[in-house]
Amino acid sequence: MNFKLKIWRQKNREEKGYFETYKIDNISPNSSFLEMLDLLNNQIICNKKQDSSPISFDHDCREGICGMCSLYINGRAHGPDNLITTCQLHMRHFHDGESIYVEPWRAKPFPIIKDLIVDRSSFDRIIMSGGYISVSTFGKTIDGNMIPISKDQADKAFDAATCIGCGACVAACKNRSAMLFVSAKISQFALLPQGKIERKKRVLNMINKMDEEGFGTCTNTKACEVECPKGISTEYISFMNREYIQSFIT
Amino acid sequence: MENTLKFNSKIPVSSLTHKWEDHKSTLKLVAPNNRYNIEIIVVGTGLAGGAAAASLSELGYKVKAFCYQDSPRRAHSVAAQGGINASKNYKGDNDSVYQLFYDTIKGGDYRSREANVYRLSQISSNIIDQCVAQGVPFARDYAGYLDTRSFGGTKVSRTFYAKGQTGQQLLLACYSSMSRQIGKGRIKMYNRHEMLDLVIVDGIAKGIIARNLVSGEIERHSAHAIVIASGGYGNVFFLSTNAMGSNASAIWKVHKKGGLFANPCYTQIHPTCIPVHGNYQSKLTLMSESLRNDGRIWVPKKLEDAVYIRNGTKKPEDIIENNRDYYLERRYPSFGNLVPRDVASRAAKERCDKGFGIENNDNKEGVFLDFSFSIEKYGEEKANELGIKQPNFLDKKKLGKKIMESKYGNLFHMYEKITNENPYNTPMKIYPAVHYTMGGLWVDYNLMSSIPGCYVIGEANFSDHGANRLGASALMQGLSDGYFILPYTIADYLSEHLTEKISTKHIAFQLSEINVKNRIQKLIQNNGNMSVDFFHKKLGNIMWKYVGMSRNHIGLCKAIKYIQELRDEFWKNVFVPGNIDDGLNSELEKAGRVSDFLELGELMAMDALNRKESCGSHFREEYQTKEGEAMRDDIHYKYVSVWEYKKNKPISDEIMHKEDLNFSFVKLQSRSYK
């Protein structure tokens, strides 16, 4: 397959970015999107005359679980397929000869580092503000089976816990809201008995931090749910809102 | 080769069951008011490094943690799927500390340390409790208690899991605990940083040189002790199940500064990965071993059927039961599809080498992993439960699929996205791929390398898995090292090095920094014609062909020669674009890592050449039984091979020492899974 690629290039955070056009031919429909970019980079590197540097993009595990890859492809976070990350996207989802636009996540709390790489450390700072259970990691605790948890409850907590922190929810949202990400963590812990003790403090701290980092609010368009590679439901946002209100009631 | 003892494993002398308890009582302590003045560097933030960083800062030490990813939450431990072992006997199948210990020793083909493995087995139970307390959403049964499943190489159900995302959930718990400490300022986190050298002052580890991958700046960091938790080196094969960034640079720099390297040739080949499908491919994807609980592995019995399947004229469903060869059940009736990974991998290779492979790729390599039996069985059970009388085939299939989905849904989804085939309806295609490296830096019982003050934990060390790693034991070792062992043993060292904080202006830091900068300059100014990936792929091909699933004398000699030639070619002809002060430069990062792999690869081949026996994942074709099973040689090779780098000499001049392995608790037997 042959493609025309329009890729966002930006030297660093300060400099202005622009789209650059590339051509790539003979791509197997079974190759992944990132493998196609590897080949393009190889083409750029081997064609030294062009005075063009390879395209920087984030990626690591390439099996859809680390959350490092990003890319806004043809106007959609993680491209034109559902329930996947960019590294799981394969070229068979595109038409031969198609023009493909590739951009970084666009959100103020995710400043661009270079080309398609953005800085998502704001997510880390939200977790630091309370996305944990304050148990000592170094001591004796009770036997795991002393805290029975119903299967339904455990499954629900698990579904919330599947968030990989990729930031697609933010990229997909017109308000740049991080509520799906934050609500997933809050729900996971609030649903488990171990997390209940700190639940009021946790929801307040995390929501405050989220606002402080400059993420927008939720207006229920559910774009985040559509683009979430792990299919996390916006029900957790409602759950978080209830937690938030309850945290004021003593 | 010499055999002078240059190291002391410090294994306590008391009885095996009391070693760890007795040893702990002799370890020296650091008073809480002193801990705040002590700085510890942790390189790598996966399960081992993350757990260590969280625990050490919890105890009051100042921690500096480094990872090359944008966040500690991305470490490749996140991708572990199947589960984590612990001997809790919740299922009442007679599991015990001894059973887990025995399975692990036997699984490692009697090439691991008895004392370490026993300790691991003892601690395993605490790990589960700790993780439950941290909010890991482990699978539960209907009564609300923790659920378990079985893994290869064992006859009990001791693997705790969170669907197919156990690694992710354990890592996120670790990362949460770390985040809490980062928030308090007790851990200083250095994301997107890479360790490029170990700094040694008067023979002891005192710091590291790191590169800020965003700005490109070279930084000096000093500390009272260094903990290396940088994971394994499977990416030396280019195609592997490791993350793209996983690298050996940190451990390799330690090795070149005097850290002994143990058992480099032990690489685990995992039997259930998606087969290679094209030469553009960048990595391989693992399908959890837990699938073997509910899948039967087969290839066609007739050669012509294999050909039909490969060229697409027949589907697996068209091959009738009698014409299928369930080769694992045939060869190993007592363990069947649950034999250990090395056994399952070799058996698949044997069938494909004979021409029965079913995947339409260059090497015709692939076998089926078939779930139709389990789907039907579960469907029937569910139908009985629901009181459906005489359920038809389609009803059973529908009900069964639902049960499979609840167990392995995310794995099936992942498979379908990559291959475009639905494993609920047609068997998965799988083939072995490089997964985990059991070798690594040599450590003593306290997890300290041969360089004082430099500790090595998790996959980066060599100690617990022997020649083969059983499933669900990597997560166990990482967390056990990080949460429960290192925090005790490191205090013993620190108590005697309380005041020795070294300034980063020390000459040793200056020299190290100059070396690092020179190397980067050399790479950037080389101006050759080939990309880094070109060399990495070439190295990978050599490694897989000659140092892969099976090895022989001639092949290994060839590998050593080819790697040396390729390394020369690399330094002559590699092209790394960009300038030194450009900042972020992925090609430069890769170039540094590949240059290290080009040295480590040679050592792996040398180690494999030395070990004239077959054990665990190391299969030397010259040493096998008539039935094709591995032939171990305990008389001559019951040792850990420990390699010493000679400063400014080529890799081929490395000296091998031996650490003899003593087995007092288990009797050495030939490993049989028949």
Side-chain angles (χ1 to χ4, degrees):
Chain A
M1 300 172 89
N2 305 329
F3 300 101
K4 202 186 223 183
L5 296 156
K6 310 223 177 222
I7 297 179
W8 186 260
R9 303 302 309 261
Q10 186 168 338
K11 225 172 170 187
N12 53 44
R13 193 170 170 165
E14 283 76 34
E15 265 173 67
K16 244 180 127 178
Y18 57 93
F19 278 105
E20 196 163 314
T21 308
Y22 300 89
K23 268 193 71 184
I24 183 129
D25 300 333
N26 297 323
I27 294 294
S28 158
N30 290 325
S31 92
S32 75
F33 197 85
L34 298 185
E35 282 162 357
M36 185 272 297
L37 287 182
D38 289 341
L39 291 174
L40 178 65
N41 270 344
N42 204 51
Q43 193 173 297
I44 294 171
I45 293 164
C46 292
N47 190 4
K48 282 154 71 179
K49 283 171 217 144
Q50 265 190 342
D51 190 34
S52 174
S53 63
I55 299 142
S56 301
F57 57 96
D58 260 338
H59 64 99
D60 203 18
C61 79
R62 295 210 177 182
E63 43 189 275
I65 197 73
C66 76
M68 190 127 167
C69 62
S70 44
L71 302 193
Y72 210 62
I73 301 163
N74 284 346
R76 287 187 67 183
H78 293 306
D81 192 11
N82 291 331
L83 295 173
I84 54 160
T85 54
T86 297
C87 66
Q88 293 174 297
L89 176 67
H90 283 69
M91 298 317 288
R92 63 179 89 96
H93 290 283
F94 296 89
H95 304 293
D96 193 16
E98 190 177 338
S99 287
I100 306 173
Y101 283 81
V102 191
E103 298 167 74
W105 281 176
R106 301 221 186 259
K108 219 174 120 201
F110 290 166
I112 289 177
I113 293 176
K114 188 179 180 183
D115 295 341
L116 303 167
I117 297 182
V118 300
D119 177 358
R120 284 168 283 190
S121 52
S122 49
F123 268 18
D124 287 328
R125 290 189 291 274
I126 294 173
I127 297 293
M128 277 173 221
S129 74
Y132 46 75
I133 291 172
S134 300
V135 59
S136 157
T137 53
F138 191 69
K140 292 236 152 81
T141 174
I142 54 167
D143 186 273
N145 261 355
M146 296 284 279
I147 320 167
I149 303 170
S150 78
K151 188 168 174 2
D152 292 349
Q153 196 85 345
D155 287 350
K156 238 176 141 181
F158 176 85
D159 286 344
T162 54
C163 167
I164 55 172
C166 64
C169 48
V170 175
C173 175
K174 65 181 166 69
N175 298 330
R176 308 293 175 241
S177 165
M179 281 214 183
L180 196 66
F181 167 75
V182 178
S183 71
K185 197 40 73 183
I186 284 171
S187 306
Q188 178 198 340
F189 288 144
L191 285 162
L192 294 170
Q194 303 93 308
K196 289 214 160 110
I197 299 156
E198 294 170 282
R199 67 198 281 189
K200 288 186 177 178
K201 201 176 100 195
R202 180 181 305 118
V203 69
L204 277 177
N205 287 345
M206 288 182 80
I207 287 187
N208 286 341
K209 189 70 192 175
M210 175 178 82
D211 293 343
E212 200 184 293
E213 291 286 343
F215 290 101
T217 51
C218 172
T219 46
N220 270 319
T221 62
K222 296 195 179 184
C224 55
E225 187 179 294
V226 173
E227 299 299 12
C228 174
K230 300 298 158 186
I232 291 170
S233 160
T234 43
E235 276 174 36
Y236 290 114
I237 297 182
S238 322
F239 186 92
M240 175 178 77
N241 288 338
R242 283 200 299 279
E243 286 285 306
Y244 185 66
I245 292 162
Q246 273 170 12
S247 71
F248 293 105
I249 308 165
T250 44
Chain B
M1 280 178 215
E2 291 172 38
N3 188 16
T4 43
L5 208 64
K6 286 208 168 181
F7 45 86
N8 176 0
S9 60
K10 293 195 183 137
I11 293 168
V13 281
S14 36
S15 75
L16 192 67
T17 47
H18 291 102
K19 273 188 203 297
W20 178 229
E21 281 306 314
D22 290 353
H23 184 63
K24 274 196 288 185
S25 62
T26 66
L27 291 170
K28 291 183 220 80
L29 307 171
V30 177
N33 56 334
N34 277 333
R35 290 181 207 154
Y36 186 70
N37 300 317
I38 292 181
E39 281 190 272
I40 301 170
I41 285 173
V42 179
V43 180
T45 55
L47 284 182
S55 298
L56 292 169
S57 58
E58 186 97 48
L59 284 165
Y61 298 106
K62 271 197 207 166
V63 174
K64 286 179 166 183
F66 293 78
C67 72
Y68 72 79
Q69 299 92 342
D70 71 328
S71 161
R73 71 176 300 145
R74 319 266 189 227
H76 198 55
S77 306
V78 82
Q81 296 166 345
I84 176 166
N85 285 338
S87 59
K88 277 186 166 287
N89 196 29
Y90 282 162
K91 285 275 167 87
D93 50 9
N94 203 11
D95 196 11
S96 61
V97 169
Y98 178 79
Q99 276 301 337
L100 174 53
F101 159 76
Y102 176 75
D103 285 343
T104 310
I105 285 279
K106 180 186 170 198
D109 222 348
Y110 305 92
R111 290 293 175 267
S112 42
R113 276 194 198 137
E114 227 183 16
N116 286 56
V117 177
Y118 198 85
R119 173 173 66 184
L120 178 69
S121 183
Q122 284 173 310
I123 290 172
S124 67
S125 180
N126 297 16
I127 300 172
I128 304 299
D129 301 337
Q130 173 69 50
C131 294
V132 168
Q134 282 169 292
V136 171
F138 281 120
R140 299 271 166 171
D141 62 20
Y142 282 100
Y145 295 113
L146 290 158
D147 204 1
T148 53
R149 60 185 170 202
S150 308
F151 256 56
T154 69
K155 285 178 171 171
V156 293
S157 181
R158 66 160 74 97
T159 306
F160 294 78
Y161 66 100
K163 270 198 186 164
Q165 302 180 357
T166 318
Q168 182 188 1
Q169 297 309 327
L170 295 176
L171 183 76
L172 289 183
C174 224
Y175 156 77
S176 298
S177 294
M178 269 184 90
S179 297
R180 176 164 157 254
Q181 302 295 338
I182 299 170
K184 286 176 194 283
R186 290 179 181 172
I187 297 180
K188 181 132 177 47
M189 188 64 223
Y190 293 84
N191 299 330
R192 295 193 195 266
H193 274 69
E194 180 167 49
M195 166 178 164
L196 289 181
D197 203 10
L198 180 74
V199 180
I200 294 182
V201 178
D202 298 330
I204 59 178
K206 279 295 164 195
I208 63 166
I209 303 292
R211 181 167 178 268
N212 178 330
L213 300 180
V214 176
S215 69
E217 260 169 275
I218 303 297
E219 299 172 0
R220 304 175 187 184
H221 296 273
S222 81
H224 291 80
I226 321 292
V227 180
I228 308 287
S230 59
Y233 49 87
N235 267 352
V236 69
F237 290 86
F238 187 72
L239 282 182
S240 81
T241 65
N242 290 16
M244 299 294 285
S246 296
N247 66 85
S249 287
I251 56 171
W252 195 246
K253 304 301 183 197
V254 174
H255 177 55
K256 292 190 84 173
K257 279 286 172 82
L260 300 170
F261 206 109
N263 293 338
C265 81
Y266 290 161
T267 305
Q268 180 174 81
I269 315 285
H270 195 292
T272 54
C273 300
I274 301 177
V276 176
H277 50 80
N279 53 13
Y280 48 81
Q281 210 167 339
S282 60
K283 74 156 277 164
L284 297 172
T285 301
L286 181 78
M287 288 286 112
S288 167
E289 178 177 4
S290 61
L291 292 172
R292 288 200 273 151
N293 271 309
D294 282 311
R296 296 178 70 192
I297 294 175
W298 63 275
V299 290
K301 252 185 206 162
K302 297 183 190 162
L303 269 175
E304 63 261 33
D305 279 345
V307 176
Y308 290 140
I309 285 187
R310 285 200 296 268
N311 65 24
T313 44
K314 264 192 184 179
K315 288 193 199 122
E317 299 87 279
D318 301 336
I319 312 288
I320 58 160
E321 189 67 12
N322 273 341
N323 290 337
R324 298 177 176 193
D325 177 13
Y326 298 95
Y327 57 87
L328 286 177
E329 298 166 33
R330 167 170 61 79
R331 286 177 64 173
Y332 309 100
S334 103
F335 281 77
N337 292 296
L338 287 178
V339 292
R341 295 173 174 181
D342 62 308
V343 177
S345 295
R346 271 198 303 278
K349 182 178 191 301
E350 189 273 336
R351 285 293 82 191
C352 294
D353 286 353
K354 292 263 162 68
F356 294 94
I358 49 83
E359 176 69 299
N360 184 25
N361 55 25
D362 289 350
N363 302 319
K364 308 179 179 69
E365 286 171 343
V367 300
F368 285 127
L369 178 60
D370 195 334
F371 301 101
S372 56
F373 309 90
S374 287
I375 290 176
E376 202 182 325
K377 185 184 82 189
Y378 288 134
E380 191 165 324
E381 283 176 10
K382 192 74 197 173
N384 287 338
E385 211 179 303
L386 295 172
I388 301 171
K389 277 176 197 144
Q390 289 173 324
N392 65 30
F393 178 72
L394 284 175
D395 284 340
K396 282 194 277 185
K397 217 171 166 183
K398 209 171 138 193
L399 292 167
K401 275 183 186 172
K402 257 196 169 157
I403 303 219
M404 290 301 273
E405 198 188 340
S406 72
K407 289 178 105 169
Y408 312 109
N410 61 320
L411 299 173
F412 279 35
H413 172 79
M414 195 190 266
Y415 180 86
E416 190 177 355
K417 286 297 167 192
I418 293 172
T419 63
N420 216 18
E421 280 180 2
N422 183 339
Y424 292 103
N425 298 333
T426 188
M428 264 186 191
K429 291 170 178 171
I430 53 159
Y431 196 69
V434 170
H435 183 47
Y436 187 96
T437 46
M438 283 74 71
L441 287 170
W442 181 89
V443 288
D444 64 18
Y445 190 68
N446 290 331
L447 305 179
M448 187 154 87
S449 72
S450 55
I451 301 172
C454 176
Y455 287 77
V456 190
I457 58 177
E459 191 179 349
N461 77 24
F462 87 102
S463 61
D464 292 10
H465 304 301
N468 183 43
R469 180 178 69 79
L470 289 183
S473 56
L475 306 184
M476 178 170 66
Q477 192 215 338
L479 289 180
S480 143
D481 285 0
Y483 281 143
F484 298 108
I485 301 173
L486 180 87
Y488 285 116
T489 58
I490 204 170
D492 190 57
Y493 169 83
L494 291 168
S495 67
E496 296 195 338
H497 297 82
L498 288 177
T499 51
E500 297 167 22
K501 167 92 175 159
I502 299 278
S503 157
T504 52
K505 293 195 176 108
H506 191 281
I507 182 82
F509 276 94
Q510 289 180 33
L511 291 174
S512 257
E513 184 179 315
I514 290 169
N515 283 337
V516 165
K517 283 186 168 163
N518 284 345
R519 197 175 168 90
I520 289 174
Q521 196 134 20
K522 210 171 152 192
L523 285 169
I524 289 248
Q525 288 174 346
N526 201 48
N527 206 22
N529 286 312
M530 305 312 283
S531 70
V532 177
D533 277 358
F534 169 81
F535 291 99
H536 198 175
K537 280 183 186 176
K538 268 201 144 176
L539 174 67
N541 281 334
I542 298 170
M543 295 300 293
W544 181 242
K545 195 164 174 194
Y546 301 112
V547 201
M549 237 187 300
S550 69
R551 298 112 184 236
N552 60 50
H553 182 89
I554 296 170
L556 289 166
C557 294
K558 272 189 194 161
I560 291 170
K561 188 171 150 263
Y562 294 159
I563 295 167
Q564 288 168 349
E565 287 167 5
L566 186 65
R567 195 167 58 226
D568 289 346
E569 176 70 14
F570 173 89
W571 286 107
K572 267 185 217 140
N573 210 7
V574 73
F575 171 61
V576 181
N579 298 308
I580 280 197
D581 25 277
D582 268 357
L584 198 139
N585 184 342
S586 324
E587 285 299 308
L588 177 61
E589 292 166 29
K590 279 197 280 186
R593 294 166 191 167
V594 171
S595 70
D596 291 331
F597 282 139
L598 281 163
E599 295 180 351
L600 170 60
E602 186 178 349
L603 188 66
M604 290 166 74
M606 282 161 61
D607 189 45
L609 186 62
N610 161 72
R611 195 167 280 279
K612 297 187 182 77
E613 63 163 349
S614 290
C615 65
S617 65
H618 170 67
F619 190 75
R620 277 286 293 267
E621 288 159 11
E622 302 94 322
Y623 307 95
Q624 55 179 308
T625 64
K626 270 186 201 148
E627 296 87 44
E629 303 297 337
M631 231 160 66
R632 218 174 57 219
D633 179 355
D634 291 331
I635 295 170
H636 300 101
Y637 292 94
K638 190 169 60 64
Y639 60 72
V640 176
S641 50
V642 186
W643 295 85
E644 182 187 1
Y645 174 74
K646 288 277 169 204
K647 212 176 166 191
N648 300 325
K649 291 254 180 82
I651 302 301
S652 51
D653 280 7
E654 290 212 13
I655 293 174
M656 197 196 80
H657 308 274
K658 295 174 184 174
E659 179 193 328
D660 282 319
L661 291 166
N662 297 308
F663 295 90
S664 52
F665 214 58
V666 291
K667 230 172 75 192
L668 268 71
Q669 292 171 345
S670 76
R671 208 166 55 126
S672 167
Y673 292 91
K674 286 209 181 286

